[in-house]
């Protein structure tokens, strides 16, 4: 097994080295070829080269064989892990972007547009002013003693900063906090959850984290002992789940979302996959549900959520509810309901179901990805198990305080009557309504392309169109030793500068091909993106149509 | 093995429930007993109780047996992991602190003094003004457009904020960055390393992290496949290492520091332990060295470092250099030298030695623990191995940008001639000289106690005195089912409110007993701490002297 994984990893790396995009004309072809050969031999590039080091040690070359660490001495779980959202295609894009700075005329586009990742502020989305005011005041508290500050900041941001500082022992925003996060901030989050759900929330159930990812890792670390422990994951899925399960040595038990019914989640499918896993000797420990969906963008119906809760209760599974897109719902006929609200409204309490809800400051209308904040709300675990979760949290001491502060603000934003309220609402609604418009425009454009079908983005930040690729394109991809959807995405990048992620990075029904594209480029860029995409797709199909 | 670990964990938890401090008078005794019985039955307490949840599910009580997660279904690696710096004694202290708010007169002290953890700002250390000015400006960039800002901020903080923003694509401090960190900030860090060492540093070798801990975890994850992989660690050690090795399922191969020679690191001891591990079939992958030492406070001599580098080269070990206390050296006869500088000065380059240096913004004179920033400089790894490190970094997207900004500032602080330079130097030198004074005062006080010997704190933030405990105290500890040094520390806490960590949490030569005490309480508190400690120790010895 270990040898297999190593050989797989080596193949992947060899493929990366050998990869050759198929450009439109000779000079571009040569340039792209030299870029594809990087990181090992790219004198054409300015810095930074991605994996090169100061002395330029390439691969596991023989001259460095006396070094203690080689690919086949590494943890095979690390080799097995994949993370497509920042994978090969993004590396190519970063090299293109660097080269574009010095060779503007060599490409048929003048910028790289990153639609690979839900990173709104990187594409021009502005942060919510109130949130940043509070953050600045908490970062440099001396400002609070200056009268000039009142002219520069809203009065409620000053009040809020004081309130937050009063909740931090010694007002020390530079100190490690309680490993679950500052108690007063957890109080604010619990109050926000109560206001959202209409059911009680306990600040002692909140574990604040640097984004949602560390929370997911913590739960995987807790639940997975070996490959005999399985986690039910949607397919397609956000690759954090497959990566985390691989790193912790567990088994991903897939359940397929039904593309034909708008990425529907069928209980019969869950049951089938659960039974199949059990028949292989796998103990399924948890069910991961992403709602709104990533990469698929669907919003679950409340009735469906009730079925899922009952399924977890009956089958004694932990429900891992990825609810980071809870503010991102774009269609009037759907509404976000937290799984905790659904479970409580069914009369299920702490003793009935183990439920973990993940929330992040990176998504929503705030999109504060770089601040790395978030939390998980952990309910239904016995106190001895919770002590183990606390211990895991304490090994990394605490999540960053700026992220903690933002997480509390996201769950308790300005209220009517507050100085910032009107501008806050204008900023929030401006962002959300624009996202809804962009989602609609891109969805319609995609559905117009030959052989492409695209479900609507009811929520989240993505479209996940299905591309019916011609056999000739599939054969060309095979010849280039790459997945057909990756082949398509690389061609798209090289022709347009648009970066999307191949569906194979999220897994998909075998034999189908997709890509994930964010809806995040600013509105004024969308028409150009639609044009470039449409033009590229036409020429691609012209080249490969059967 | 798994059953053993679970039974160990259960014992630990049972002990925690049964623990009973031995107070001085009856009412205090009753109060402490009720506190010790928490979290399960502590109506005497105000919130928060540490591990209780809203529905108060205690332990693995039978009523919740239908829940899917129980202690013995958890990952045994998690159960095995221990982290004393935030362990049992800190939990007791937190409960005492809460109770103290409502029952002031019940205790012989009026505050809890946390000397358990290197968390300077929690004890009143002020952040460096320049760093916080830059952070505030980068948090709320609209300030940079306001003329009033010039009256509130130093001119070089404004210049620096602009410079940093110019290095961030779209000036978006709220966007995910490159998974290694923002390139311009890594440039600043590399320049800082070059200025420190006099040898080149490559920004592509820098991986920015949320504090040093995630970097250590990443390297352990990379290097450890099973319990057959060993990591040489100093004893006593900072428990991050034992915790991380346990979580990744490896073997900690101990090497003992020689207390008699000021916690000396002997190559003969390294060789002996390496051979012994190899004879047991363990492949030793790396040597962890903490310099300046934690919890031991020694600063390695350059000659000793050269021997260590040669040892790693000869034995083909990765050198994991924990250099987070590089700014904390208090004695004129010692100086910090990075292991990279030492290796390069010996003529060893990339192809000779694999070296990882960890740095953090939590320590030094800045002490920005809550901001969670740091980096590791990774040299001597082949590009295919580096790709795997990059992949691990990318699964969590990036470290937080505020921490990244602070890490760049720490490595490129104001220079002579800058507006902030004089005040920056005054703040820095004020903190460092005060830390040196506090270290000396506490060391002298400890050495005056009966049966206590304490090496000097040459660096870092800790003293690690050896306590020669009377047999009667050891017997009392055994009767209370606790380690003798933990027994001492709990008694100290209950009598004085001072929180220190038992030496057993760091490991120590069997049969010796220590505790770790930070030097971080503000100078004006030190005399009272010395008095309370001295008085307690005398009464403890009076009670237990053989």
């Amino acid at each position: 097994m270990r040898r297999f994984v190593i050989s797989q990893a080596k193949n992947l790396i060899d493929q990366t080295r050998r990869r050759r995009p198929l450009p439109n004309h000779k000079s571009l072809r040569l340039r792209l070829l030299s870029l594809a050969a990087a990181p090992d031999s790219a004198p054409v590039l300015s810095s930074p080269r991605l994996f090169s080091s100061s002395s330029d040690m390439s691969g596991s070359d023989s001259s460095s064989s006396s070094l203690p660490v080689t690919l086949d001495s590494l943890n095979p779980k690390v080799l097995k892990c994949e993370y497509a959202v920042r994978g090969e295609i993004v590396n190519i894009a970063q090299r293109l972007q660097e080269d574009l700075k010095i060779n503007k005329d060599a490409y048929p586009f003048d910028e790289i547009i990153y639609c690979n990742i839900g990173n709104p502020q990187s594409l021009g989305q502005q942060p919510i002013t109130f949130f940043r005011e509070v953050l600045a005041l908490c970062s440099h508290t001396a400002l609070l003693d200056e009268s000039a500050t009142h002219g520069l900041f809203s009065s409620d941001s000053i009040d809020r900063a004081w309130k937050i500082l009063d909740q931090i022992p010694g007002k020390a925003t530079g100190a490690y906090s309680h490993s679950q996060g500052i108690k007063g901030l957890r109080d604010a989050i619990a109050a926000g959850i109560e206001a959202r759900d209409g059911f009680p929330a306990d600040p002692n159930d909140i574990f604040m984290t640097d984004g949602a990812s560390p929370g997911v890792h913590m739960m995987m670390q807790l639940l997975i002992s070996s490959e005999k422990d399985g986690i039910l994951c949607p397919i397609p899925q956000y690759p954090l789940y497959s990566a985390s399960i691989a790193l912790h040595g567990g088994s991903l038990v897939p359940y397929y979302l039904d593309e034909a019914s708008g990425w529907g989640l069928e209980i019969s499918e869950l049951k089938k996959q659960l039974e199949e896993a059990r028949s292989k000797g796998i103990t399924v420990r948890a069910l991961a549900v992403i709602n709104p969906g990533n990469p698929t963008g669907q919003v679950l119906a409340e009735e469906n959520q009730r079925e899922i809760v009952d399924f977890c209760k009956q089958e004694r599974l932990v429900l891992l509810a990825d609810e980071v897109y809870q503010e991102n719902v774009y269609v009037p006929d759907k509404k976000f309901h937290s799984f905790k609200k659904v479970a409580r409204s069914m009369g299920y309490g702490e003793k009935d179901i183990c439920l973990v809800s993940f929330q992040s400051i990176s998504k929503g209308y705030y999109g504060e990805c770089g601040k790395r904040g978030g939390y998980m709300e952990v309910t239904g675990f016995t106190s001895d198990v919770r002590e183990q979760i606390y211990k895991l949290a304490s090994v990394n001491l605490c999540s960053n305080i700026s992220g903690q502060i933002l997480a509390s603000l996201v769950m308790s934003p300005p209220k009517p009557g507050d100085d910032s309220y009107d501008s806050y609402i204008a900023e929030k609604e401006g962002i959300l309504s624009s996202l809804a418009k962009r989602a609609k425009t891109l969805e319609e454009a995609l559905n117009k392309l030959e052989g492409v079908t695209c479900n609507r983005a009811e929520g989240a930040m993505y479209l996940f169109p299905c591309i019916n690729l011609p056999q000739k394109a599939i054969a060309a991809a095979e010849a280039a030793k790459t997945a057909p959807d990756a082949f398509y995405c690389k061609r798209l990048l090289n022709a347009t500068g648009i970066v999307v992620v191949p569906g194979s990075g999220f897994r998909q029904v075998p034999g189908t091909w997709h890509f994930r594209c964010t809806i995040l480029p600013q509105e004024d860029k969308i028409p150009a993106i639609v044009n470039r995409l449409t033009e590229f797709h036409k020429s691609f199909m012209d080249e490969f149509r059967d």
Side-chain angles (χ1 to χ4, degrees), chain A:
Chain A
M1 177 62 190
R2 181 173 170 140
R3 191 164 302 167
F4 172 72
V5 170
I6 293 166
S7 111
Q8 266 200 321
K10 281 188 169 160
N11 280 344
L12 265 173
I13 289 162
D14 289 348
Q15 282 169 30
T16 311
R17 296 230 170 81
R18 279 196 302 266
R19 69 181 172 260
R20 34 173 96 191
L22 297 169
N24 296 326
H25 52 85
K26 203 182 156 203
S27 72
L28 175 60
R29 180 190 166 96
L30 282 173
R31 171 151 304 279
L32 291 169
L33 270 173
S34 71
L35 286 173
D40 302 331
S41 55
V44 69
L45 279 179
S46 66
S47 66
R49 280 178 282 152
L50 254 184
F51 303 115
S52 68
S53 67
S54 40
S55 72
D56 218 352
M57 293 197 304
S58 313
S60 42
D61 55 349
S62 56
S63 62
S64 56
S65 62
S66 68
L67 284 172
V69 186
T70 57
L71 211 55
D72 42 43
S73 68
L74 296 186
N75 179 357
K77 291 174 194 162
V78 171
L79 297 177
K80 198 180 168 190
C81 154
E82 286 178 28
Y83 193 66
V85 170
R86 289 231 160 162
E88 185 200 350
I89 198 149
V90 184
N91 296 343
I92 302 175
Q94 285 172 346
R95 288 196 291 268
L96 281 176
Q97 186 168 33
E98 286 302 314
D99 197 46
L100 204 51
K101 286 182 195 161
I102 44 174
N103 293 294
K104 281 185 193 159
D105 302 331
Y107 298 92
F109 47 84
D110 52 13
E111 64 172 332
I112 303 292
I113 299 177
Y114 288 97
C115 300
N116 58 301
I117 191 165
N119 193 9
Q121 294 192 30
S122 76
L123 295 174
Q125 182 176 308
Q126 292 306 301
I128 299 295
T129 305
F130 173 79
F131 294 172
R132 292 306 191 95
E133 285 180 329
V134 176
L135 207 57
L137 293 168
C138 292
S139 293
H140 185 41
T141 54
L143 289 173
L144 289 162
D145 300 325
E146 302 283 344
S147 58
T149 297
H150 290 270
L152 289 170
F153 291 81
S154 62
S155 66
D156 55 337
S157 72
I158 294 172
D159 293 346
R160 186 67 75 96
W162 276 118
K163 192 177 163 197
I164 288 172
L165 290 171
D166 284 342
Q167 287 161 342
I168 303 178
K171 305 195 190 327
T173 58
Y176 295 127
S177 72
H178 185 288
S179 294
Q180 286 184 239
I182 293 161
K183 173 62 170 55
L185 302 181
R186 285 186 280 131
D187 289 341
I189 289 172
I193 295 171
E194 283 187 13
R196 181 193 71 195
D197 291 348
F199 290 95
D202 186 335
N204 294 318
D205 292 345
I206 307 292
F207 287 76
M208 298 180 85
T209 48
D210 292 311
S213 306
V216 171
H217 288 309
M218 232 188 281
M219 292 312 299
M220 296 300 176
Q221 191 157 41
L222 192 78
L223 296 174
I224 296 173
S225 304
S226 74
E227 70 281 0
K228 289 286 173 200
D229 291 313
I231 310 291
L232 269 162
C233 287
I235 301 297
Q237 51 105 33
Y238 175 49
L240 167 65
Y241 291 92
S242 51
S244 190
I245 293 168
L247 286 175
H248 293 101
S251 293
L252 187 153
V253 179
Y255 65 91
Y256 288 90
L257 301 173
D258 180 28
E259 186 163 11
S261 66
W263 300 111
L265 194 168
E266 297 293 335
I267 302 296
S268 56
E269 167 71 4
L270 290 179
K271 280 191 179 140
K272 187 184 118 195
Q273 299 292 353
L274 177 67
E275 291 317 317
E276 198 175 314
R278 284 179 176 162
S279 73
K280 290 180 192 156
I282 291 172
T283 306
V284 179
R285 313 295 311 277
L287 167 69
V289 179
I290 310 172
N291 180 46
N294 176 6
T296 41
Q298 84 284 20
V299 177
L300 295 178
E302 199 175 354
E303 177 51 33
N304 195 195
Q305 290 183 272
R306 277 196 284 268
E307 294 172 334
I308 294 166
V309 168
D310 265 331
F311 174 77
C312 287
K313 185 175 179 328
Q314 276 159 29
E315 302 294 347
R316 306 184 75 242
L317 301 176
V318 177
L319 178 48
L320 300 173
D322 182 334
E323 301 182 325
V324 302
Y325 296 100
Q326 57 188 265
E327 302 269 10
N328 300 96
V329 178
Y330 309 119
V331 291
D333 55 328
K334 289 288 181 84
K335 198 172 167 333
F336 169 77
H337 304 281
S338 79
F339 270 103
K340 183 163 155 249
K341 171 185 164 182
V342 170
R344 295 293 177 268
S345 68
M346 295 166 76
Y348 296 149
E350 286 281 332
K351 298 194 178 178
D352 300 304
I353 184 161
C354 288
L355 176 55
V356 184
S357 165
F358 300 97
Q359 165 68 319
S360 167
I361 62 169
S362 303
K363 309 303 169 188
Y365 55 90
Y366 21 85
E368 292 281 12
C369 303
K371 300 295 180 187
R372 312 307 292 124
Y375 69 82
M376 54 178 185
E377 186 190 11
V378 175
T379 55
F381 290 83
T382 56
S383 61
D384 50 2
V385 173
R386 295 166 62 88
E387 286 184 37
Q388 300 297 319
I389 302 175
Y390 176 80
K391 185 175 69 182
L392 280 179
S394 77
V395 173
N396 284 325
L397 298 161
C398 66
S399 62
N400 84 86
I401 307 294
S402 303
Q404 290 190 27
I405 290 170
L406 277 170
S408 81
L409 296 176
V410 155
M411 298 305 286
S412 59
K415 290 184 179 53
D418 290 350
D419 188 15
S420 293
Y421 182 73
D422 290 344
S423 63
Y424 159 74
I425 287 293
E427 288 175 356
K428 172 181 171 175
E429 291 185 350
I431 289 166
L432 288 175
S433 65
S434 171
L435 285 174
K437 252 188 277 177
R438 293 179 241 170
K440 194 80 201 143
T441 308
L442 283 169
E443 175 209 319
E444 285 170 0
L446 285 163
N447 275 314
K448 280 184 192 145
L449 302 181
E450 178 186 354
V452 172
T453 53
C454 184
N455 282 327
R456 65 176 184 163
E458 298 173 341
M461 295 179 169
Y462 315 101
L463 291 159
F464 198 64
C466 180
I467 346 166
N468 192 355
L469 288 171
Q471 273 310 318
K472 233 169 103 185
I474 293 172
E478 272 165 14
K481 299 197 176 182
T482 189
D485 49 10
F487 177 78
Y488 179 92
C489 294
K490 283 184 217 172
R491 292 286 296 259
L492 174 66
L493 169 61
N494 288 330
T496 66
I498 300 170
V499 193
V500 298
V501 186
S504 41
F506 304 88
R507 307 199 188 183
Q508 52 202 345
V509 170
T512 69
W513 308 109
H514 300 77
F515 63 86
R516 187 185 82 163
C517 177
T518 73
I519 58 170
L520 297 176
Q522 290 297 292
E523 246 179 277
D524 58 354
K525 298 224 165 175
I526 299 286
I529 290 173
V530 167
N531 284 346
R532 286 204 235 169
L533 186 63
T534 306
E535 204 178 302
F536 160 76
H537 187 78
K538 189 175 174 308
S539 81
F540 183 91
M541 294 301 279
D542 288 346
E543 187 176 347
F544 292 105
R545 197 177 290 107
D546 295 319

